[in-house]
């Protein structure tokens, strides 16, 4: 049975039993404590912890998940992967243990011909928490499972909590006996390789307190409503139903492994180390596909770093199998074809996905090439020092600075007859991880205390937002709170407060749009609204300062937004939609929005594209947007369901959460997006849009900034005045100004080149004098000199080369030239072939004297250079250079 069919049967089974099908949330989770959704229940956490009221009593989902803990272990076992899918059925105060057990048993054991999964009931086992007599009894009485196949286990196996104070409870796991060929008999308690876990049923029925220093906690009591949270690993079930030994051999993963076999000539099952690498490649290619599909792009931070690491581990593993060319173009389409039946977006968005994956592979292959050069240098220095082991510090620098994987360092060191100080490398890696953890902990924010807002929601119901249709309205103050969430009975002049109204025209910040500002007037008082937020769905909080009088909960109020600001922000938001549409038209549908800011009169639009956008394309985008303004198209917003929105081509944004009912904003037939923001009524109201700049803000993400309306007009007016002033200065028509400026710049550059040539000629004229002044240092012709002022780095190198060439080639020669200009120091060292045979390396020499001028440097054995910031140390640097040469020649260095 194919994996997609198992998924379909699971969802259908529970939908027929009254469960609401909740589509998989994005892997990118809106939680400061999580990089990715790591379990099927994560999207439902707000319901379990009481932050939100569940909109349905029972639900079912197949949730995409990524777990990156112990990523180094992926491929070493048959059961664990980075990306996986978790089927789950959930009950929020509805059914409990008996139905959860019955549902699971029925689906697992019903014949496939009747829509079940067809597992042999005689090969199923269950485990329960050691004190959960109820679950043990139910397993026997409801399913007929023999008592000897129901095992009681401790809390480390069969008790669930979130790691913090809150809901918890015992759980029950279902295992499948793979047969005696896979291990010992005796159930999961004896051998979890033979008895593989299929499904975990969590009986959420208690509340736990905080952990003590030893990780222990106290059970505080029972939950007011008992809940069910289950997770059935889709890949694990598929492996059993497809009769294969591991998840890597199922239909959604094995084709990538098989294609890798063909590319590398390796055979799966022949060599354990090769098998691990083949499994890593198959897992990581699929994981990269799904992460990029959900909007993650490679970078050096957070989620982007995880993706980068996954791709690099795959590329590294391919290299260890003997392939040094790019392989993503051969493997990623295979994974796409495996996954598209369940996730059509991996096919429709494959252009964008593949651009990032292929680009990251190319970049890493370049890193491997440069890292190899650094590695070769480290090997030479190690052998020259008579050592047989690369230091842990060198291996760590290769890994941390150059992105060079330790596995490749180990492999290449062995080829050179060297070992690596792995314990020292691991120690440095551990220190780095501990620093990262400490930093993450310092910035970590846990579950926010939203109890006050939940109480407002429970007592007064949700705030009605009326701002789409009106700018002011009569309302009522339902709650008054301090910044820390504490309720207030009253607030007076000068106080900063949070105000909740029963209905409001104020738009709360969201979707990139800044919030409204304005005033709230109450009997005998007035408040200035400076910010509006939504800490919980349905609760709109006005951050305000009392200007005069007093405000109390329950009093009537008149809420009025700053209409001019609203119009300016709305124009910017509509302009963002137009820029988005035009960018997609110019660059392709892969140019997806990755963030935005809509402020009065200006916008910032972030979008995904692997390369800088040419100025000509930006000009075309700007022209297209302004042509749309001239067409004065109607801007229309309406509500529909997600299926209809997709059918009409409305664009949805990565990372945004949409309910079953969505709001679509259309600008004529030109642009159509899901959006909850406010907009102009017609495109002509925007006036003009002027793109100001385009820049990179991260790997594969670009940013465009623009002005809208009067702000754009004022900018263009200033530009016109500036061009007019230039035209007056050049005594030329406006359209000739660019040519005149270009001509002037060319003359300036030509003069600078001539000046540089004269300086270089002057310096080279002194090369003979420098060579004639060479000092004898234990048989070495040593030239140490300060260069004339103003020489560039290239000119210094040319001078040092000329001086070296004038020295007697049959005698070792060393040249050190140091120059100081404008408070900065540049230096070059050069050695001839005879000097190098005497173990005199230019790179070693500059490293010996660079600290004297507050600098650093390096390079090849024949030529090295660097710079510093302390001109006062020039004489000392030349002395140290000569001293180092003497020590090296006499063997004391």
């Amino acid at each position: 049975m194919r994996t997609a069919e198992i998924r379909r049967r699971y969802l259908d089974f529970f939908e027929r039993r009254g469960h609401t099908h909740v589509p998989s949330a994005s892997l990118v989770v809106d939680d400061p404590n999580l990089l990715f959704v790591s379990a099927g229940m994560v999207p439902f956490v707000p319901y379990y912890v009481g932050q939100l009221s569940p909109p349905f009593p029972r639900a079912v989902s197949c949730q995409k998940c990524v777990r990156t803990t112990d990523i180094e272990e992926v491929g070493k076992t048959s059961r664990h992967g980075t990306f996986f899918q978790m089927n789950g059925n959930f009950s929020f105060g509805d059914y409990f243990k008996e139905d959860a057990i019955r549902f699971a048993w029925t689906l697992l054991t019903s014949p496939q011909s009747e829509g079940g999964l067809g597992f042999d009931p005689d090969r199923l086992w269950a485990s329960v928490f050691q004190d959960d007599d109820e679950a043990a009894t139910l397993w026997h009485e409801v399913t007929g499972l023999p008592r000897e196949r129901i095992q009681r286990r401790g809390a480390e196996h069969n008790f669930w909590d979130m790691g913090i104070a809150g809901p918890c409870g015992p759980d029950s796991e279902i295992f499948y006996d793979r047969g005696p060929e896979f291990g010992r008999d005796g159930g999961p308690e004896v051998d979890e390789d033979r008895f593989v876990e299929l499904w975990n049923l969590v009986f959420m029925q208690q509340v736990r307190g905080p952990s003590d220093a030893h990780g222990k906690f106290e059970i505080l009591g029972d939950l007011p409503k008992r809940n069910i949270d289950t997770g059935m690993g889709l890949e694990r079930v598929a492996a059993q139903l497809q009769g294969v030994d591991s998840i890597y051999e199922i239909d959604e993963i094995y084709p990538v492994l098989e294609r890798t076999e063909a590319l590398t000539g390796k055979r799966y099952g022949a060599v354990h180390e090769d098998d691990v690498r083949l499994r890593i490649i198959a897992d990581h290619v699929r994981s990269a596909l799904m992460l990029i599909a959900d909007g993650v792009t490679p970078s050096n931070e957070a989620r982007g770093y995880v993706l980068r690491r996954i791709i690099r581990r795959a590329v590294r593993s391919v290299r260890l199998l003997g392939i040094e060319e790019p392989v993503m173009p051969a493997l990623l389409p295979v994974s796409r074809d495996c996954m598209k039946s369940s996730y059509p977006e991996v096919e429709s968005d494959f252009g964008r996905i593949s651009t990032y994956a292929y680009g990251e592979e190319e970049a890493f292959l370049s890193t491997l090439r440069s890292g190899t050069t650094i590695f070769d240098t480290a090997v030479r220095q190690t052998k020259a020092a008579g050592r047989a082991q690369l230091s842990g510090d060198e291996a760590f620098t290769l890994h941390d600075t150059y992105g060079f994987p330790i596995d490749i360092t180990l492999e290449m060191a062995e080829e050179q007859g060297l070992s690596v100080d792995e314990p020292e490398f691991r120690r440095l890696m551990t220190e780095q991880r501990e620093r990262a953890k400490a930093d993450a902990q310092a910035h970590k924010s846990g579950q926010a205390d939203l109890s006050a807002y939940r109480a407002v929601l429970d007592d007064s119901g949700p705030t009605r937002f009326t701002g789409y249709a009106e700018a002011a309205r009569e309302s009522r103050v339902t709650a008054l709170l301090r910044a820390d969430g504490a309720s207030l009975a009253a607030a007076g002049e000068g106080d900063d407060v949070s105000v909740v109204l029963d209905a409001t025209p104020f738009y709360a910040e969201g979707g990139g749009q800044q919030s409204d500002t304005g005033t709230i007037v109450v009997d005998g008082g007035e408040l200035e609204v400076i910010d509006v937020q939504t800490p919980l769905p349905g609760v709109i909080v006005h951050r305000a300062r009392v200007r005069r009088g007093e405000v109390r909960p329950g009093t009537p109020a008149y809420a009025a937004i700053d209409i001019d600001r609203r119009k300016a922000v709305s124009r910017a938001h509509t302009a963002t939609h137009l820029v988005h549409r035009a960018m997609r038209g110019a660059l392709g549908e892969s140019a997806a929005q990755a963030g935005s800011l809509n402020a009065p009169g200006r916008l910032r639009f972030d979008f995904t594209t692997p390369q800088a956008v040419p100025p000509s394309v930006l000009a075309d985008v700007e022209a297209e947007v302004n042509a749309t303004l001239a067409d004065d198209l109607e801007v229309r917003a309406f509500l529909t369901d997600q299926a209809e929105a997709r059918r009409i081509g409305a664009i949805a944004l990565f990372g945004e959460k949409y309910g079953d009912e969505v709001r679509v904003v259309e600008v004529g037939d030109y642009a159509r997006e899901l959006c909850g923001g406010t907009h102009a009524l017609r495109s002509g109201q925007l006036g003009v849009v002027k793109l100001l700049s385009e820049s990179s803000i991260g790997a594969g993400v670009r940013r465009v900034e623009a002005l809208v309306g009067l702000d754009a007009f004022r900018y263009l007016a200033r530009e016109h005045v500036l061009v007019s002033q230039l035209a007056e200065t050049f005594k030329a028509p406006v359209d000739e100004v660019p040519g005149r400026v270009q001509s002037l710049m060319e003359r300036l550059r030509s003069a600078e080149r001539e000046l540089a040539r004269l300086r270089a000629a002057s310096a080279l004229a002194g090369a003979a004098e420098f060579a004639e002044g060479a000092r004898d240092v234990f048989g070495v012709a040593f030239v140490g000199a300060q260069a004339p002022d103003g020489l560039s780095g290239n000119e210094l190198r040319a001078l040092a080369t000329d001086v070296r060439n004038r020295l007697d080639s049959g005698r070792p020669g060393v040249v050190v030239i140091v120059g100081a200009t404008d408070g900065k120091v540049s230096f070059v060292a050069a050695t001839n072939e005879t000097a190098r045979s005497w173990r005199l390396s230019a790179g070693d020499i500059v490293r010996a004297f660079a600290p004297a001028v507050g600098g650093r440097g390096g390079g090849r054995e024949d030529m090295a250079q660097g710079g510093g910031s302390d001109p006062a140390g020039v004489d000392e640097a030349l002395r140290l250079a000569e001293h180092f040469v003497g020590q090296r020649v006499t063997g004391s260095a």
Side-chain angles (χ1 to χ4, degrees), residues 580-600:
H580 188 188
R581 181 63 268 168
M583 280 292 184
R584 282 181 174 248
L587 303 176
E589 295 301 307
S590 63
Q593 182 171 330
S596 66
L597 172 68
N598 304 301

Side-chain angles (χ1 to χ4, degrees), residues 47 57 102 110 277 282 336 402 525 661 667 691 742-743 874 878:
Y47 306 142
R102 178 181 290 107
S110 293
R277 291 161 187 163
R336 172 202 63 198
Y402 299 99
E661 187 177 64
V667 184
L691 302 186
Q742 182 66 27
S743 176
V874 169
L878 293 172

Side-chain angles (χ1 to χ4, degrees), residues 348-381:
S348 61
D349 202 19
F350 191 71
R352 181 185 65 85
I353 295 169
S354 59
T355 296
Y356 284 109
Y358 300 167
E360 181 61 22
E361 180 181 33
E362 289 284 0
F364 185 49
L365 289 174
S366 176
T367 294
L368 287 177
R369 287 189 286 269
S370 62
T372 300
T373 302
I374 304 301
F375 172 84
D376 290 342
T377 301
V379 168
R380 282 197 302 270
Q381 292 174 346

